[in-house]
Amino acid sequence: LRLGLGLRAKMAAAGIQDLLQPVELTSSLRPKLSEGEVEFCFGNHVRVYYRDSLQHENGSCYLTGYRIIWLSNKRNRNTKTPISMFALPLSKVKSCSCKAGMLISSPKLVVHLTSGSNNYIKLSFRDGNRNKFHDNMNMALRGRAWLAKKSGPEKKDFSTTGAGIRGLMEREKKKKTSAQRDVDEAFQDLNALMAKAGEMVSLAKRCADGMAAREETKKGDKDRFMVMLADMGIPSPVTRESAGTKYHEQLAMQLADFMQGRLGSLGGMITLPDAYCLFNRARGTEMVSPDDILNACMLFESLELPIVFRKFPSNVLVIQAKDHSDRKMAERITGYIGKKGSVSGIELSQAFGLSLVLTKQHLLQAEKLLYICRDQSTDGLRFYKNLFINS
């Protein structure tokens, strides 16, 4: 009898594993969401059971409109990635139900699968997020956002009635009417809004792309910061409600993902107030406080994220890329001064496309490294190549 039960358990586990998918991670080791995918909630210290057999210990669990994603909290020594991770598509989920915890066991969420007569996964929550997951999963299952992802835009046969300028105007009018209808329906109540979350993200992205294109056409490369302001950037922001007790950790990881791709065009560094402005603009209505941003930045080092939080001797706080080098920047400044003879802070700021605050810090660091020296006169402060060192 024991052998028969063990065989059935192995067969059930094999059937469940066939439904699981690999997970792609961002540079900060958060799950990479596909276009239109929205994160609903997050839980930490989650165990995974294949039916009644414990398979995975102590992991982080994400619920999106498309998937259940689980990442082990244990890391590989070399790559720092989770030792195990998987995603279960919600299209393979029939329903979910709650199972109460006993004296020493945690409350569980039973996820009933479409394959097999009695196949299910149990998620054991030790941080008290079981009910939140249950409510959000039922909402996601009703919304069935993954169907909209598969269907894509409807293809229509060509017709001469839709050709020419008049046809273009008609199509634009229909797009605007459809978008307005989606917004009106989505904001009727919270459930409708969550059900249409993916469509709202796509609509916001289209608006952001249009704004960014207009800004680039208008200003070119003269003001990259303003172009970035037109970029909404974060379709599924981390919130206290979704992340719970791990809010600042998840916020730090999302901030790292957001800033890493932008630091290259900003000289590898950005002041904390500027980063706060960009990040909150990208989050839309889900704004975060200065204290939350500061607390998140202070976790960069312990979480081993690809960006660094730094404080200059002048008390200026910045976020910089991990591969940013003061010496390389000093060499770049020295090369520019070599061509011009001397430079002021404003001139260098305009030439490098950096803020005056950051330019001042770079000049001070280059001076500290003995690459340049200063001359204070009635004409103001100017910096020269240090010929004693760089002759």
Side-chain angles (χ1 to χ4, degrees), residues 288-306:
V288 294
S289 69
D291 284 342
D292 285 336
I293 287 286
L294 184 61
N295 288 330
C297 289
M298 293 171 71
L299 294 174
F300 287 166
E301 185 177 358
S302 62
L303 294 175
E304 299 182 347
L305 297 178

Side-chain angles (χ1 to χ4, degrees), residues 65 137-148 191 194-196:
M137 190 178 296
N138 276 327
M139 194 183 303
L141 291 173
R142 287 196 301 269
R144 301 170 72 84
W146 60 89
L147 294 180
N191 289 338
M194 294 300 288
K196 285 184 170 284

Side-chain angles (χ1 to χ4, degrees), residues 334-343 347 373 382-385:
T334 306
Y336 182 78
I337 293 176
K339 296 175 184 177
K340 297 294 181 179
S342 67
V343 71
E347 290 169 355
C373 55
R382 299 192 69 82
F383 291 87
Y384 293 80
K385 188 175 178 179

Side-chain angles (χ1 to χ4, degrees), residues 241-387:
E241 185 181 1
S242 66
T245 57
K246 293 289 183 178
Y247 172 60
H248 286 116
E249 285 188 17
Q250 292 295 310
L251 186 66
M253 294 163 77
Q254 191 167 73
L255 178 58
D257 287 334
F258 177 76
M259 291 308 310
Q260 190 182 18
R262 291 162 172 79
L263 286 174
S265 60
L266 295 168
M269 186 183 296
I270 186 172
T271 63
L272 190 59
D274 284 347
Y276 173 79
C277 176
L278 280 177
F279 191 57
N280 266 327
R281 178 64 180 261
R283 288 174 64 91
T285 57
E286 295 290 350
M287 298 181 71
V288 294
S289 69
D291 284 342
D292 285 336
I293 287 286
L294 184 61
N295 288 330
C297 289
M298 293 171 71
L299 294 174
F300 287 166
E301 185 177 358
S302 62
L303 294 175
E304 299 182 347
L305 297 178
I307 61 176
V308 177
F309 181 52
R310 180 179 180 184
K311 184 177 181 179
F312 282 101
S314 59
N315 290 327
V316 172
L317 301 175
V318 300
I319 294 173
Q320 70 176 49
K322 218 166 193 176
D323 58 356
H324 176 81
S325 166
D326 286 342
R327 194 168 293 278
K328 286 182 181 179
M329 179 57 78
E331 289 172 356
R332 184 184 171 197
I333 292 172
T334 306
Y336 182 78
I337 293 176
K339 296 175 184 177
K340 297 294 181 179
S342 67
V343 71
S344 69
I346 294 176
E347 290 169 355
L348 191 67
S349 173
Q350 293 173 341
F352 283 15
L354 302 174
S355 70
L356 195 56
V357 174
L358 275 184
T359 303
K360 180 183 176 182
Q361 301 309 313
H362 288 315
L363 286 168
L364 291 175
Q365 286 300 114
E367 184 182 34
K368 185 179 179 181
L369 292 170
L370 304 179
Y371 279 83
I372 60 176
C373 55
R374 68 173 66 196
D375 178 55
Q376 181 81 50
S377 66
T378 54
D379 294 331
L381 178 62
R382 299 192 69 82
F383 291 87
Y384 293 80
K385 188 175 178 179
N386 188 347
L387 297 178

Side-chain angles (χ1 to χ4, degrees), residues 194-220:
M194 294 300 288
K196 285 184 170 284
E199 295 174 35
M200 293 299 99
V201 167
S202 299
L203 180 59
K205 189 177 185 301
R206 288 199 300 272
C207 293
D209 291 343
M211 289 169 65
R214 285 195 294 273
E215 286 290 339
E216 286 197 60
T217 303
K218 185 178 178 182
K219 297 189 177 183

